Amino acid sequence: EPDVTIVSGLKDMVVLEGDDVTFRCQVSHENARDVEWKLQDVALQNNEMNEISVEKGKTHTLTLRKVTEQDIGTITFRVGSHTSTA
């Protein structure tokens, strides 16, 4: 199985409290496994506050809904041994 790499990394975002924010990270291969999103080193799950999805097979997205001050911090996207942070 080929090594999946990050083609386009995360971008830093500034949002107002109560707004939604979306982070995108593009990888080199479709159907990448071993993918993880984290906020401040805490793994995020797909739920009503965090929407995790894949667009067009290679663009992984994380949407944080109605952000609060507690959501301030580093977002990390990891695929295999490669990471991107914002």
Side-chain angles (χ1 to χ4, degrees):
E1 188 169 308
D3 189 28
V4 177
T5 60
I6 296 172
V7 176
S8 175
L10 299 175
K11 308 270 191 289
D12 290 341
M13 306 290 270
V14 177
V15 292
L16 297 175
E17 192 169 17
D19 285 351
D20 295 350
V21 61
T22 299
F23 295 91
R24 287 184 175 78
C25 200
Q26 185 177 353
V27 298
S28 59
H29 295 75
E30 290 187 12
N31 305 319
R33 289 194 293 259
D34 196 21
V35 169
E36 183 176 48
W37 288 97
K38 288 183 175 181
L39 172 59
Q40 296 294 73
D41 288 327
V42 176
L44 298 175
Q45 304 298 320
N46 195 25
N47 58 34
E48 65 277 354
M49 296 307 292
N50 312 313
E51 182 184 326
I52 297 172
S53 63
V54 181
E55 298 172 352
K56 299 182 185 137
K58 295 183 184 179
T59 303
H60 293 256
T61 64
L62 166 67
T63 300
L64 302 179
R65 304 224 177 270
K66 298 184 178 72
V67 296
T68 66
E69 279 190 33
Q70 287 75 38
D71 295 318
I72 292 172
T74 302
I75 292 284
T76 304
F77 173 83
R78 182 186 60 76
V79 58
S81 62
H82 304 280
T83 61
S84 178
T85 59

